[in-house]
Amino acid sequence: MTEHSPEFTLSCPTPLETHATVQMAHGGGGRLMRRLIEDLFLPGFGTDPAGNPPHDSAVLDVPAGRLAFTTDTFVVSPLVFPGGDIGHLAVYGTVNDLAMAGAQPLALSAGFILEEGLPIEMLRRVVDSLGHAADEVGERIVTGDTKVVDRGPGDGIFINTAGVGLVPPGVNISPRRVAPGDAILLSGDLGRHGIAIMSVREGLGFEGAIASDCASLAGLVAALVQADPDVHCLRDLTRGGLAAALCEIADGARVGIQLREASIPVSAPVDGACELLGLDPLYVANEGRLVAFVPAQAAERTLEIMRAHKAAPEPAVIGTVTADHPGTVELRNSLGGSRVVDLLSGEQMPRIC
Ligand code: MG
């Protein structure tokens, strides 16, 4: 792959034409790239409120304490889907991973790989979404990079974001702390993101009924942690769905997990789509749902806090942690039958986030 990569912070006076596309920058220090930066990235992400001149690194003032640090790369196809686009995912995905450590986001980076031929209007849309999502969560994108690569399959944009956040004193959220007796709470219904993407990609026509659940979980986690700093573990449900999240935690914490199928919310449209596609909603991707592990006596209060928060549209206690069968997730149905929920060997849905 060939690439060309001036920094975000170069300047160029010429405005971008509406119907322009991203082209490989040949010579001259990448004039198109400068224009992208000046006309598109800087307006989308905002400039340093302190008015500092551009520099090779962002320098952050950080209070003493513990930092959470995470990164994620977004390759979703299509770039735009019901309920959002790759720009929203790139912010929420990383912010949610910070939130799962109880951290309040401090700053994000954004790195773009753009395919030659990408319409500028699509890039502008994605950059705007990214900027708006960052504003919504009170986050600044403090550093970034863009590279253009040769024309490929026509997908257009890949984004990497990294984020740092501050973990409040006394907060210790980790799979290590999951213990037998813990209640497991789910914040909302399953499978919207995966089905919304599949619907567009495969032309299935569900998109009127099913939009992605993609959303920031940072505010919900802040409310949970403020009310009860003794939350044992949090995990956002992304690729692999609820099943993958719980299997990883059961394995990592060496505990058993028992789920009650009847308490796991799945909307009728998602349920219907899953039936048609031969998918199990437990395995379908989400981008705005979490599970919380809390001591049994804190379950009711945690549920109350979730009910009061818009990021938890349908909270429910879905199961408990056991000392039996460490590493195993068991799903019990209302008739008293049960089955083991396993990790899938392959990827159920590629390019979902
Ligand atoms: Mg995660």
Side-chain angles (χ1 to χ4, degrees), residues 72 93 96-97 100 235-238:
D72 206 343
N96 289 351
D97 278 346
M100 296 308 112
R235 184 62 57 92
D236 61 335
L237 310 181
T238 54

Side-chain angles (χ1 to χ4, degrees), residues 315-327:
V317 179
I318 60 165
T320 51
V321 177
T322 68
D324 305 332
H325 312 297

Side-chain angles (χ1 to χ4, degrees), residues 330-351:
E330 187 188 12
L331 183 73
R332 294 205 167 165
N333 66 30
S334 47
L335 304 173
S338 74
R339 66 179 166 101
V340 169
V341 177
D342 265 329
L343 279 177
L344 294 181
S345 51
E347 183 137 38
Q348 193 180 21
M349 288 188 233
R351 306 274 310 261

Side-chain angles (χ1 to χ4, degrees), residues 2-277:
T2 339
E3 39 88 350
H4 203 96
S5 64
E7 298 288 328
F8 259 6
T9 46
L10 300 174
S11 68
C12 176
T14 324
L16 287 165
E17 305 82 18
T18 305
H19 298 295
T21 59
V22 170
Q23 298 297 324
M24 294 294 291
H26 295 296
R31 282 193 314 178
L32 177 95
M33 190 60 72
R34 295 185 191 194
R35 287 158 64 188
L36 289 179
I37 291 159
E38 192 80 348
D39 282 5
L40 206 145
F41 287 109
L42 288 179
F45 299 159
T47 42
D48 184 353
N52 291 311
H55 193 23
D56 280 349
S57 286
V59 176
L60 309 173
D61 286 319
V62 179
R66 292 168 303 156
L67 275 182
F69 180 27
T70 190
T71 185
D72 206 343
T73 302
F74 300 86
V75 300
V76 67
S77 174
L79 296 172
V80 178
F81 46 83
D85 62 40
I86 190 172
H88 296 109
L89 283 191
V91 171
Y92 297 146
T94 290
V95 163
N96 289 351
D97 278 346
L98 288 176
M100 296 308 112
Q104 289 304 298
L106 272 180
L108 284 180
S109 72
F112 289 77
I113 298 174
L114 308 177
E115 189 188 324
E116 189 180 25
L118 171 74
I120 292 293
E121 280 312 292
M122 176 58 84
L123 179 59
R124 195 185 298 280
R125 177 193 168 130
V126 167
V127 167
D128 282 352
S129 299
L130 217 142
H132 285 138
D135 280 350
E136 175 205 329
V137 298
E139 181 75 283
R140 280 200 62 227
I141 295 155
V142 295
T143 186
D145 180 56
T146 301
K147 291 193 170 59
V148 177
V149 297
D150 291 323
R151 189 184 291 267
D155 283 312
I157 307 179
F158 303 114
I159 306 176
N160 173 274
T161 50
V164 287
L166 266 187
V167 183
V171 171
N172 182 12
I173 297 174
S174 157
R176 249 195 336 252
R177 298 198 59 216
V178 171
D182 279 1
I184 306 167
L185 289 90
L186 171 63
S187 64
D189 63 316
L190 296 183
R192 287 181 179 273
H193 180 71
I195 296 298
I197 297 282
M198 290 299 280
S199 180
V200 180
R201 208 190 285 168
E202 309 295 331
L204 302 174
F206 302 133
E207 46 275 34
I210 304 166
S212 169
D213 57 317
C214 75
S216 164
L217 297 168
L220 172 63
V221 170
L224 290 175
V225 163
Q226 204 171 15
D228 179 12
D230 197 33
V231 173
H232 285 172
C233 187
L234 298 169
R235 184 62 57 92
D236 61 335
L237 310 181
T238 54
R239 212 167 21 171
L242 177 69
L246 294 183
C247 286
E248 280 171 22
I249 287 173
D251 188 48
R254 301 312 299 163
V255 295
I257 287 178
Q258 265 186 20
L259 298 176
R260 288 182 300 275
E261 191 170 33
S263 9
I264 300 174
V266 180
S267 73
V270 168
D271 204 34
C274 282
E275 196 139 312
L276 209 70
L277 296 167

